Amino acid sequence: MQNKLDFFAGRVIAGRMSRREFMGRAAALGLTAAAANGLMTKAVYAAGPQKGGTIKVGVNGSGSADSLDPALSANQGQTMVTRLWGEPLLEQAADGGVEPRLAESYSSSPDAKAWTFKIRSGVTFSNGKTMTAEDVLATMERHSGEDTKSGALGIMRGIQSMRVEGDKFIIELEQPNADLPFLMTDYHLLIQPNGGKDDPTAAVGTGPYILKSVEPGVRFVGEKNPNYWDDSQGHAETIELIIINDDTARVAALQSGQVHMINRVPPRTAGLVARASGIEVRSKSGPGHYVFIAHVDTEPFSNPDVMMALKYGMNRQEMVDKILFGYGTVGNDIPVNGAYPLFTPLPQREYDPDKAAFHWKKSGYDGSVLLRTSDNSFPGAPDAAALYQQSLNAAGIPLEVKREPNDGYWSEVWNKQPFCTSYWSGRPVQDQMYSTAYLSTADWNDTRFKNEKFDQLLISARAELDLAKRKQMYADMGMILHNEGGLICPMFNDFIDATTDKVAGWGESKGFALMNFYAPIKMWVTA
Amino acid sequence: MGPALKLVAQRVALGLLLLFLVSALIFAGTQILPGDVAQSILGQSATPEALANLRRDLGLNEPAITRYFDWLVGALQGDLGTALTNGQDIAKSIGGRMKNTLFLAFWAAVIAVPLAIFLGLLAVRFRDRWPDKLISAVTLASISIPEFLIGYVIMYVVGVKLRWFPSVAMINDSMSLGEKLSSIAMPVMVLTLVVLAHMMRMTRAAILNVMQSAYIETAELKGLNRFQVICRHAFPNSIAPIVNVVMLNLAYLVVGVVVIEVVFTYPGMGQYLVDHVSKRDVPVVQACGLIFAAVYIGLNMVADIVSILSNPRLRHPK
């Protein structure tokens, strides 16, 4: 029977038998539909990637005001489009490390202050020019210069000098940083001819696709770059990104077969979507987290007992169940989780109304606490605020919830008001997450957390090339933040994507949704 | 100059003045909104340096009044400028979007207007009998249900279950007319349902009003059948209110379909405007606002003029 099935599966792949017919014949041989489907999938993978065809993606999170300049990438759609035509030096690997892209290899000086990247030879831009180390230098200059407007500026600070030696690109840092390779995976830092200084929005790069149609907020079409250097990806002939911001419309487009994959399946309906035949919902735990952030330099949050009461009053499991519908994991009042390399789990803080009430009384504060929230701080934030109000109420702590408009939330409320709901999409490494928002001098220190010991640990961990020691340092930092920080982190959300059975090749990944946005490039159309 | 021509000239001048006021209002409105375009572009990843650099590059450091008059001078010369957010030429981007919006509005109108008027006539013909009640009930129900819900229901039934038409109404230049029509079939259905009731009810009411007149009785006494009376005598005399409501609904089809555009992912003006308002991209918002205002003012002007021309007493004032 096995032989017969293998034969049939082979015929389906060769396009001589329909999938439906295969399922029918498998059933005739006594197989359940699920088993037959699994067998089919196995056969598809064994046959390897198929070349050609069109992959259509329904993308949430993009608008008609989007620019093609990678320096201004700020949403999912923009990032996915730039991935089609451009590439970084390095990329995050599925195992939590980094893998070479335009840099063939890299090395550092023993003190982690000087980093050398060997640039891949024989790679051409889509305008025909050969990519050189000079282009890499120019790109990094554009993102780090005094007058840059790049979103990557935050991570490009602390560079003392950059230079080119033959096919090597060398960065000298002011302070050691063992994580520099991870910073080079940033989605803004795509190599452009002459760094994109001449025309940043030209969308000319070394990527697997060349943009043929650009309609911001509507649709992007990329066609295979015939000179692309890496055979292991870029299987489809054409990739079409269709911007569908409306949740219901995006799911309907997938169900009706108009697109092959979508991002951001709403957690509320993910279970229902998964039940449809021919659709696979793929959730992956990521570094993104929903947070309640308090300024610890402002009354009453500067009182450690108030902060502790607020932390014990948070029912984290309830949040995961009711806000994420189970598509997520509980947080522990630190901004990192198992998605990060070198992570050590801390003892889990549980919901404890008695302890919360104890700390609340001890604090001597008897006013109420005002929490600001809006729908776009994270999906379901107002509901989460209402749940929090109830769980705090059980401990006798009065919480007032003020709903703010979505419009202007990031400029007027977040990082300005003392207590609000917010969202962090996370970073590839712990150092970057902590340096972005928890270092005393960080631009986005949205909890106003200033702790000398924490800062020292963070700086010395950057220079520490011994992984075991670094891991311990991060665990110590996590503990400080867990106990003294203004961050209340109830949950880490999963990325929930969905694909149809017309495409194959889904794999493990770190980073963002849809295989770190590489799914259209790494997957292929099945026969 | 005939009185009609003079009237048109007056209306056009008034319309231009209105447009100017609208542009000032829109500009003031976008200034009041919290945050600016630089903050919206950089979002959560904004650093003070990057913000300052972006503001300088976009010319946001100029005083608001200077920016408004710079824009006005350009607009008067037909130059709408470039979008602050992505540097694309506004006239070109709007042109494409406008074409799509008009395409959708046109086909919705081609179906909805004759259908509404016909149903209105039918309702009068069978007044207070079951066809009248059925038409009223169905159209009132369809206008009472929020349009996005009708959209979702139609999308689920027609798009996902029956798979007659695509659920995403994408159109682009490489498609044939037939493909485009199939693509917009579902939004057209929803829009038709939404505007039908208003026009149909108005037609019915206006004709019924005229039907009370003495000359209708005369026509009936002459022996004309009821449908002839309605079409030949009642309808021409109730044209003014009908045209008014038809024009209002046409204007709605052009400027008020944001929700439908979002639900069906249709690349029209509404979606384009909303995206740029949320990014505080003032030149684009101005341009869209002006076009929308011009459509409204223009269609209302047409309604006024038609109602005057259709009324002999207004056409030949004493």
Short mmCIF file of all heavy atoms in Angstrom, two decimals, chain A residues 63-66 74 146-149 157 216 218-219 242-244 246 248-249 252-253 255-256 258 407 411-412 423 443-444, chain B residues 34-35 39 42 44-47 49 53-54 57 85-86 97 152 155 163 166-168 170 172 263 265 267 272 275-276 280:
data_model
loop_
_atom_site.label_atom_id
_atom_site.label_comp_id
_atom_site.label_asym_id
_atom_site.label_seq_id
_atom_site.Cartn_x
_atom_site.Cartn_y
_atom_site.Cartn_z
N GLY A 63 0.04 51.38 4.69
CA GLY A 63 -0.88 52.40 4.22
C GLY A 63 -0.38 53.08 2.98
O GLY A 63 0.76 52.86 2.56
N SER A 64 -1.22 53.93 2.39
CA SER A 64 -0.80 54.55 1.13
C SER A 64 0.23 55.65 1.34
O SER A 64 0.76 56.19 0.39
CB SER A 64 -2.01 55.09 0.36
OG SER A 64 -2.97 55.62 1.23
N ALA A 65 0.53 55.97 2.59
CA ALA A 65 1.55 56.99 2.84
C ALA A 65 2.94 56.37 2.97
O ALA A 65 3.91 57.06 3.24
CB ALA A 65 1.20 57.78 4.09
N ASP A 66 3.04 55.04 2.77
CA ASP A 66 4.33 54.37 2.99
C ASP A 66 5.38 54.73 1.95
O ASP A 66 5.08 54.85 0.77
CB ASP A 66 4.13 52.84 2.97
CG ASP A 66 3.42 52.38 4.22
OD1 ASP A 66 3.19 53.22 5.10
OD2 ASP A 66 3.09 51.19 4.29
N ALA A 74 8.57 51.46 8.91
CA ALA A 74 8.07 51.47 10.27
C ALA A 74 6.91 50.51 10.45
O ALA A 74 6.33 50.45 11.51
CB ALA A 74 7.65 52.88 10.67
N GLU A 146 25.12 62.40 11.09
CA GLU A 146 24.54 63.42 11.97
C GLU A 146 23.13 63.80 11.53
O GLU A 146 22.25 64.02 12.34
CB GLU A 146 25.43 64.68 11.92
CG GLU A 146 26.58 64.68 12.89
CD GLU A 146 26.07 64.79 14.33
OE1 GLU A 146 25.51 65.84 14.64
OE2 GLU A 146 26.23 63.82 15.10
N ASP A 147 22.96 63.93 10.20
CA ASP A 147 21.68 64.44 9.72
C ASP A 147 20.79 63.34 9.15
O ASP A 147 19.98 63.57 8.28
CB ASP A 147 21.91 65.54 8.68
CG ASP A 147 22.84 65.08 7.58
OD1 ASP A 147 23.34 63.94 7.70
OD2 ASP A 147 23.07 65.83 6.63
N THR A 148 20.94 62.13 9.67
CA THR A 148 20.09 61.05 9.15
C THR A 148 18.69 61.14 9.74
O THR A 148 18.51 61.69 10.81
CB THR A 148 20.69 59.68 9.50
OG1 THR A 148 19.88 58.69 8.88
CG2 THR A 148 20.66 59.44 10.99
N LYS A 149 17.73 60.61 9.00
CA LYS A 149 16.38 60.51 9.56
C LYS A 149 16.00 59.03 9.68
O LYS A 149 14.84 58.70 9.78
CB LYS A 149 15.40 61.27 8.68
CG LYS A 149 15.55 60.97 7.22
CD LYS A 149 14.85 62.01 6.36
CE LYS A 149 15.08 61.68 4.90
NZ LYS A 149 14.71 62.73 3.99
N ARG A 157 24.32 54.28 16.97
CA ARG A 157 25.14 55.18 17.77
C ARG A 157 26.34 54.42 18.30
O ARG A 157 26.38 53.21 18.30
CB ARG A 157 24.32 55.69 18.95
CG ARG A 157 23.34 56.72 18.52
CD ARG A 157 23.06 57.64 19.68
NE ARG A 157 21.89 58.43 19.36
CZ ARG A 157 20.70 58.19 19.89
NH1 ARG A 157 20.54 57.24 20.75
NH2 ARG A 157 19.68 58.94 19.54
N PRO A 216 1.59 52.16 -3.17
CA PRO A 216 1.60 52.13 -1.71
C PRO A 216 0.19 52.01 -1.15
O PRO A 216 -0.72 52.68 -1.62
CB PRO A 216 2.22 53.48 -1.33
CG PRO A 216 2.99 53.90 -2.52
CD PRO A 216 2.27 53.34 -3.70
N VAL A 218 -1.80 49.66 -1.52
CA VAL A 218 -2.70 48.86 -2.35
C VAL A 218 -2.03 47.53 -2.71
O VAL A 218 -2.49 46.46 -2.31
CB VAL A 218 -3.05 49.60 -3.65
CG1 VAL A 218 -3.99 48.77 -4.49
CG2 VAL A 218 -3.66 50.94 -3.35
N ARG A 219 -0.90 47.61 -3.41
CA ARG A 219 -0.37 46.36 -3.95
C ARG A 219 1.06 46.59 -4.42
O ARG A 219 1.41 47.65 -4.94
CB ARG A 219 -1.28 45.99 -5.11
CG ARG A 219 -0.86 44.94 -6.05
CD ARG A 219 -2.06 44.74 -6.97
NE ARG A 219 -1.76 43.78 -8.00
CZ ARG A 219 -1.36 44.10 -9.23
NH1 ARG A 219 -1.18 45.34 -9.57
NH2 ARG A 219 -1.12 43.15 -10.11
N ILE A 242 -0.60 42.16 -1.34
CA ILE A 242 -1.84 42.92 -1.41
C ILE A 242 -2.14 43.43 0.00
O ILE A 242 -2.21 42.66 0.94
CB ILE A 242 -3.00 42.04 -1.91
CG1 ILE A 242 -2.64 41.47 -3.28
CG2 ILE A 242 -4.29 42.83 -1.97
CD1 ILE A 242 -3.59 40.42 -3.77
N ILE A 243 -2.28 44.74 0.13
CA ILE A 243 -2.51 45.32 1.44
C ILE A 243 -3.98 45.20 1.80
O ILE A 243 -4.84 45.78 1.14
CB ILE A 243 -2.11 46.82 1.47
CG1 ILE A 243 -0.75 47.02 0.81
CG2 ILE A 243 -2.15 47.36 2.88
CD1 ILE A 243 0.38 46.29 1.45
N ILE A 244 -4.27 44.40 2.83
CA ILE A 244 -5.65 44.23 3.28
C ILE A 244 -5.65 44.49 4.78
O ILE A 244 -5.39 43.58 5.57
CB ILE A 244 -6.19 42.82 2.99
CG1 ILE A 244 -5.88 42.40 1.55
CG2 ILE A 244 -7.69 42.76 3.24
CD1 ILE A 244 -6.31 40.99 1.21
N ASP A 246 -8.11 45.37 6.77
CA ASP A 246 -9.30 44.93 7.50
C ASP A 246 -9.21 43.44 7.82
O ASP A 246 -9.00 42.62 6.93
CB ASP A 246 -10.54 45.21 6.64
CG ASP A 246 -11.81 44.92 7.39
OD1 ASP A 246 -12.24 45.80 8.12
OD2 ASP A 246 -12.35 43.80 7.25
N THR A 248 -11.37 41.06 8.81
CA THR A 248 -12.34 40.13 8.21
C THR A 248 -12.06 39.95 6.73
O THR A 248 -12.12 38.83 6.21
CB THR A 248 -13.76 40.66 8.42
OG1 THR A 248 -13.89 41.07 9.77
CG2 THR A 248 -14.78 39.61 8.10
N ALA A 249 -11.74 41.05 6.05
CA ALA A 249 -11.49 40.97 4.62
C ALA A 249 -10.24 40.13 4.33
O ALA A 249 -10.19 39.38 3.37
CB ALA A 249 -11.31 42.37 4.04
N ALA A 252 -11.14 36.52 4.79
CA ALA A 252 -12.01 36.09 3.68
C ALA A 252 -11.20 35.88 2.41
O ALA A 252 -11.45 34.95 1.64
CB ALA A 252 -13.10 37.12 3.45
N ALA A 253 -10.20 36.75 2.18
CA ALA A 253 -9.37 36.61 0.98
C ALA A 253 -8.60 35.29 1.02
O ALA A 253 -8.43 34.63 -0.01
CB ALA A 253 -8.40 37.78 0.87
N GLN A 255 -9.61 32.57 2.73
CA GLN A 255 -10.57 31.47 2.62
C GLN A 255 -11.07 31.30 1.20
O GLN A 255 -11.34 30.19 0.77
CB GLN A 255 -11.76 31.73 3.55
CG GLN A 255 -11.41 31.53 5.00
CD GLN A 255 -12.52 31.98 5.93
OE1 GLN A 255 -13.25 32.90 5.61
NE2 GLN A 255 -12.65 31.32 7.06
N SER A 256 -11.18 32.42 0.46
CA SER A 256 -11.69 32.29 -0.90
C SER A 256 -10.56 32.03 -1.89
O SER A 256 -10.78 32.02 -3.10
CB SER A 256 -12.47 33.55 -1.29
OG SER A 256 -11.60 34.66 -1.32
N GLN A 258 -7.97 33.84 -2.70
CA GLN A 258 -7.38 34.96 -3.45
C GLN A 258 -5.95 35.24 -3.04
O GLN A 258 -5.20 35.83 -3.80
CB GLN A 258 -8.23 36.21 -3.23
CG GLN A 258 -9.39 36.27 -4.18
CD GLN A 258 -10.01 37.63 -4.11
OE1 GLN A 258 -10.66 37.96 -3.13
NE2 GLN A 258 -9.84 38.42 -5.14
N ASP A 407 -5.66 58.13 17.47
CA ASP A 407 -4.90 59.11 16.72
C ASP A 407 -4.02 59.90 17.67
O ASP A 407 -4.50 60.49 18.63
CB ASP A 407 -5.93 60.05 16.07
CG ASP A 407 -5.43 60.56 14.76
OD1 ASP A 407 -4.84 59.76 14.02
OD2 ASP A 407 -5.62 61.74 14.49
N SER A 411 2.35 59.85 20.06
CA SER A 411 3.08 61.10 20.27
C SER A 411 2.62 61.84 21.52
O SER A 411 3.36 62.61 22.09
CB SER A 411 2.95 62.00 19.03
OG SER A 411 1.60 62.14 18.67
N GLU A 412 1.37 61.60 21.97
CA GLU A 412 0.85 62.40 23.08
C GLU A 412 0.74 61.63 24.39
O GLU A 412 0.77 62.24 25.45
CB GLU A 412 -0.54 62.95 22.72
CG GLU A 412 -0.56 63.82 21.48
CD GLU A 412 0.33 65.02 21.61
OE1 GLU A 412 0.24 65.72 22.63
OE2 GLU A 412 1.15 65.25 20.69
N TYR A 423 2.85 48.73 23.65
CA TYR A 423 3.27 47.51 22.96
C TYR A 423 4.74 47.62 22.58
O TYR A 423 5.19 48.68 22.16
CB TYR A 423 2.43 47.33 21.70
CG TYR A 423 2.87 46.19 20.83
CD1 TYR A 423 2.74 44.88 21.30
CD2 TYR A 423 3.42 46.39 19.57
CE1 TYR A 423 3.16 43.82 20.53
CE2 TYR A 423 3.84 45.32 18.80
CZ TYR A 423 3.70 44.04 19.28
OH TYR A 423 4.11 42.98 18.52
N ASP A 443 16.53 56.66 24.80
CA ASP A 443 15.54 57.60 24.27
C ASP A 443 14.13 57.18 24.64
O ASP A 443 13.25 57.99 24.83
CB ASP A 443 15.61 57.63 22.74
CG ASP A 443 16.85 58.34 22.27
OD1 ASP A 443 17.24 59.31 22.92
OD2 ASP A 443 17.43 57.90 21.25
N TRP A 444 13.91 55.90 24.61
CA TRP A 444 12.55 55.39 24.82
C TRP A 444 12.41 54.74 26.18
O TRP A 444 11.77 53.71 26.30
CB TRP A 444 12.21 54.40 23.70
CG TRP A 444 12.33 55.02 22.37
CD1 TRP A 444 11.73 56.19 21.96
CD2 TRP A 444 13.10 54.56 21.27
NE1 TRP A 444 12.08 56.46 20.67
CE2 TRP A 444 12.91 55.48 20.23
CE3 TRP A 444 13.91 53.45 21.07
CZ2 TRP A 444 13.54 55.33 18.99
CZ3 TRP A 444 14.53 53.31 19.85
CH2 TRP A 444 14.34 54.23 18.82
N PRO B 34 -3.12 66.38 17.20
CA PRO B 34 -1.86 66.19 17.93
C PRO B 34 -0.81 65.48 17.05
O PRO B 34 -1.16 64.69 16.19
CB PRO B 34 -2.27 65.30 19.10
CG PRO B 34 -3.50 64.60 18.64
CD PRO B 34 -4.20 65.54 17.72
N GLY B 35 0.45 65.80 17.28
CA GLY B 35 1.53 65.14 16.55
C GLY B 35 1.70 65.73 15.17
O GLY B 35 0.84 66.44 14.67
N GLN B 39 6.62 62.75 13.31
CA GLN B 39 6.38 61.78 14.37
C GLN B 39 5.61 60.58 13.84
O GLN B 39 5.88 59.44 14.22
CB GLN B 39 5.57 62.42 15.50
CG GLN B 39 6.46 63.01 16.56
CD GLN B 39 5.67 63.84 17.53
OE1 GLN B 39 4.61 64.38 17.20
NE2 GLN B 39 6.18 63.97 18.73
N LEU B 42 8.00 58.25 11.74
CA LEU B 42 8.98 57.48 12.50
C LEU B 42 8.33 56.62 13.58
O LEU B 42 8.91 55.65 14.04
CB LEU B 42 10.02 58.42 13.11
CG LEU B 42 10.92 59.08 12.06
CD1 LEU B 42 11.75 60.18 12.68
CD2 LEU B 42 11.84 58.07 11.40
N GLN B 44 7.04 54.73 16.72
CA GLN B 44 7.64 54.41 18.00
C GLN B 44 9.17 54.45 17.93
O GLN B 44 9.83 54.48 18.95
CB GLN B 44 7.16 53.03 18.44
CG GLN B 44 6.76 52.97 19.89
CD GLN B 44 6.44 51.55 20.30
OE1 GLN B 44 6.28 50.67 19.49
NE2 GLN B 44 6.37 51.33 21.59
N SER B 45 9.72 54.43 16.71
CA SER B 45 11.17 54.37 16.62
C SER B 45 11.79 55.74 16.42
O SER B 45 12.89 55.87 15.89
CB SER B 45 11.59 53.43 15.49
OG SER B 45 11.22 53.96 14.25
N ALA B 46 11.09 56.81 16.81
CA ALA B 46 11.61 58.16 16.59
C ALA B 46 12.62 58.53 17.67
O ALA B 46 12.38 58.34 18.84
CB ALA B 46 10.46 59.15 16.62
N THR B 47 13.77 59.04 17.24
CA THR B 47 14.70 59.63 18.20
C THR B 47 14.63 61.14 17.99
O THR B 47 14.27 61.59 16.90
CB THR B 47 16.14 59.18 17.95
OG1 THR B 47 16.47 59.48 16.61
CG2 THR B 47 16.31 57.70 18.19
N GLU B 49 16.91 63.29 17.40
CA GLU B 49 17.73 63.75 16.27
C GLU B 49 17.04 63.43 14.95
O GLU B 49 16.94 64.29 14.07
CB GLU B 49 19.11 63.07 16.25
CG GLU B 49 19.98 63.33 17.44
CD GLU B 49 19.89 62.19 18.42
OE1 GLU B 49 18.74 61.85 18.80
OE2 GLU B 49 20.91 61.63 18.81
N ASN B 53 15.86 66.08 12.10
CA ASN B 53 16.36 66.01 10.73
C ASN B 53 15.22 65.88 9.73
O ASN B 53 15.22 66.51 8.68
CB ASN B 53 17.31 64.82 10.58
CG ASN B 53 18.62 65.05 11.29
OD1 ASN B 53 19.03 66.20 11.46
ND2 ASN B 53 19.26 63.98 11.72
N LEU B 54 14.24 65.04 10.07
CA LEU B 54 13.12 64.82 9.16
C LEU B 54 12.29 66.09 9.03
O LEU B 54 11.90 66.49 7.93
CB LEU B 54 12.27 63.67 9.67
CG LEU B 54 11.24 63.13 8.69
CD1 LEU B 54 11.91 62.65 7.43
CD2 LEU B 54 10.46 61.98 9.31
N ASP B 57 14.05 68.46 6.75
CA ASP B 57 13.96 68.06 5.35
C ASP B 57 12.58 68.31 4.76
O ASP B 57 12.44 68.59 3.58
CB ASP B 57 14.29 66.56 5.20
CG ASP B 57 15.78 66.32 5.29
OD1 ASP B 57 16.50 67.30 5.60
OD2 ASP B 57 16.21 65.19 5.06
N THR B 85 5.05 62.16 3.08
CA THR B 85 5.44 60.87 3.63
C THR B 85 6.24 60.02 2.67
O THR B 85 7.23 59.42 3.05
CB THR B 85 4.19 60.08 4.04
OG1 THR B 85 3.23 60.24 3.02
CG2 THR B 85 3.64 60.58 5.33
N ASN B 86 5.83 59.93 1.41
CA ASN B 86 6.57 59.04 0.52
C ASN B 86 7.07 59.73 -0.74
O ASN B 86 7.57 59.08 -1.64
CB ASN B 86 5.72 57.80 0.16
CG ASN B 86 4.41 58.18 -0.48
OD1 ASN B 86 4.19 59.35 -0.78
ND2 ASN B 86 3.56 57.22 -0.70
N ARG B 97 -6.36 57.09 -8.03
CA ARG B 97 -7.35 56.77 -7.00
C ARG B 97 -8.72 57.32 -7.40
O ARG B 97 -9.75 56.69 -7.22
CB ARG B 97 -6.93 57.37 -5.66
CG ARG B 97 -5.67 56.78 -5.10
CD ARG B 97 -5.90 55.33 -4.77
NE ARG B 97 -4.78 54.76 -4.09
CZ ARG B 97 -4.84 54.28 -2.84
NH1 ARG B 97 -5.96 54.33 -2.16
NH2 ARG B 97 -3.78 53.74 -2.29
N TYR B 152 -19.78 42.47 4.94
CA TYR B 152 -19.24 41.20 5.43
C TYR B 152 -20.14 40.03 5.07
O TYR B 152 -19.67 38.96 4.68
CB TYR B 152 -19.04 41.26 6.95
CG TYR B 152 -17.88 42.11 7.38
CD1 TYR B 152 -17.90 42.81 8.57
CD2 TYR B 152 -16.73 42.20 6.59
CE1 TYR B 152 -16.83 43.60 8.97
CE2 TYR B 152 -15.67 42.98 6.99
CZ TYR B 152 -15.72 43.68 8.17
OH TYR B 152 -14.67 44.44 8.57
N MET B 155 -19.81 39.35 1.49
CA MET B 155 -18.49 38.77 1.24
C MET B 155 -18.46 37.30 1.63
O MET B 155 -17.93 36.46 0.91
CB MET B 155 -17.45 39.54 2.07
CG MET B 155 -16.02 39.13 1.79
SD MET B 155 -14.92 39.83 3.02
CE MET B 155 -14.92 41.51 2.54
N ARG B 163 -18.25 31.64 -4.05
CA ARG B 163 -17.07 31.96 -4.86
C ARG B 163 -17.42 32.48 -6.25
O ARG B 163 -16.78 32.14 -7.25
CB ARG B 163 -16.14 30.74 -4.98
CG ARG B 163 -15.65 30.27 -3.64
CD ARG B 163 -14.27 29.70 -3.72
NE ARG B 163 -13.82 29.32 -2.39
CZ ARG B 163 -12.63 28.87 -2.11
NH1 ARG B 163 -11.73 28.74 -3.07
NH2 ARG B 163 -12.29 28.55 -0.89
N PRO B 166 -14.55 37.73 -6.56
CA PRO B 166 -13.44 37.81 -5.61
C PRO B 166 -13.82 38.69 -4.41
O PRO B 166 -14.53 39.68 -4.56
CB PRO B 166 -12.31 38.46 -6.42
CG PRO B 166 -12.97 39.13 -7.55
CD PRO B 166 -14.22 38.35 -7.85
N SER B 167 -13.34 38.31 -3.22
CA SER B 167 -13.71 39.07 -2.01
C SER B 167 -12.85 40.32 -1.87
O SER B 167 -13.22 41.25 -1.18
CB SER B 167 -13.55 38.19 -0.78
OG SER B 167 -12.21 37.83 -0.61
N VAL B 168 -11.70 40.34 -2.52
CA VAL B 168 -10.88 41.54 -2.49
C VAL B 168 -11.07 42.26 -3.82
O VAL B 168 -10.75 41.72 -4.87
CB VAL B 168 -9.39 41.19 -2.29
CG1 VAL B 168 -8.54 42.42 -2.43
CG2 VAL B 168 -9.19 40.57 -0.92
N MET B 170 -9.70 44.28 -5.87
CA MET B 170 -8.51 44.95 -6.40
C MET B 170 -8.72 45.20 -7.89
O MET B 170 -9.10 44.29 -8.61
CB MET B 170 -7.33 44.00 -6.29
CG MET B 170 -6.69 44.00 -4.97
SD MET B 170 -5.64 45.43 -4.91
CE MET B 170 -5.40 45.50 -3.16
N ASN B 172 -6.64 46.92 -11.35
CA ASN B 172 -5.47 47.63 -11.87
C ASN B 172 -5.57 47.69 -13.39
O ASN B 172 -6.44 47.08 -14.00
CB ASN B 172 -4.17 46.96 -11.41
CG ASN B 172 -4.13 45.51 -11.75
OD1 ASN B 172 -4.19 45.14 -12.90
ND2 ASN B 172 -4.04 44.65 -10.74
N VAL B 263 -13.44 47.69 3.67
CA VAL B 263 -13.93 46.31 3.78
C VAL B 263 -13.51 45.49 2.57
O VAL B 263 -13.07 44.36 2.70
CB VAL B 263 -15.46 46.30 3.96
CG1 VAL B 263 -16.02 44.91 3.74
CG2 VAL B 263 -15.84 46.81 5.33
N THR B 265 -11.11 46.38 0.43
CA THR B 265 -9.75 46.71 0.02
C THR B 265 -9.73 47.32 -1.37
O THR B 265 -8.95 46.93 -2.22
CB THR B 265 -8.86 45.45 0.03
OG1 THR B 265 -9.30 44.61 1.06
CG2 THR B 265 -7.42 45.81 0.26
N PRO B 267 -8.92 50.22 -3.94
CA PRO B 267 -7.95 51.32 -3.94
C PRO B 267 -8.54 52.65 -4.39
O PRO B 267 -8.18 53.17 -5.43
CB PRO B 267 -6.87 50.84 -4.92
CG PRO B 267 -7.57 49.91 -5.84
CD PRO B 267 -8.69 49.29 -5.07
N TYR B 272 -7.20 56.33 0.70
CA TYR B 272 -6.02 57.17 0.48
C TYR B 272 -6.04 58.36 1.44
O TYR B 272 -5.04 58.68 2.09
CB TYR B 272 -6.07 57.65 -0.98
CG TYR B 272 -4.90 58.47 -1.45
CD1 TYR B 272 -3.66 57.88 -1.68
CD2 TYR B 272 -5.06 59.82 -1.72
CE1 TYR B 272 -2.61 58.64 -2.15
CE2 TYR B 272 -4.00 60.58 -2.20
CZ TYR B 272 -2.78 59.99 -2.41
OH TYR B 272 -1.73 60.72 -2.87
N ASP B 275 -5.50 57.21 5.22
CA ASP B 275 -4.09 56.90 5.48
C ASP B 275 -3.28 58.16 5.70
O ASP B 275 -2.42 58.22 6.57
CB ASP B 275 -3.48 56.14 4.29
CG ASP B 275 -3.90 54.68 4.29
OD1 ASP B 275 -4.50 54.27 5.28
OD2 ASP B 275 -3.62 53.98 3.30
N HIS B 276 -3.54 59.16 4.88
CA HIS B 276 -2.72 60.37 4.98
C HIS B 276 -3.14 61.28 6.12
O HIS B 276 -2.32 62.00 6.66
CB HIS B 276 -2.71 61.12 3.64
CG HIS B 276 -1.86 60.44 2.62
ND1 HIS B 276 -2.34 59.43 1.82
CD2 HIS B 276 -0.56 60.58 2.30
CE1 HIS B 276 -1.36 59.00 1.04
NE2 HIS B 276 -0.27 59.68 1.31
N ARG B 280 -0.77 62.71 9.07
CA ARG B 280 -0.66 64.17 9.09
C ARG B 280 0.02 64.70 7.83
O ARG B 280 0.78 65.65 7.88
CB ARG B 280 0.17 64.65 10.29
CG ARG B 280 -0.24 64.09 11.59
CD ARG B 280 -1.44 64.82 12.12
NE ARG B 280 -1.81 64.28 13.41
CZ ARG B 280 -2.62 63.24 13.57
NH1 ARG B 280 -3.16 62.65 12.52
NH2 ARG B 280 -2.92 62.80 14.77
#
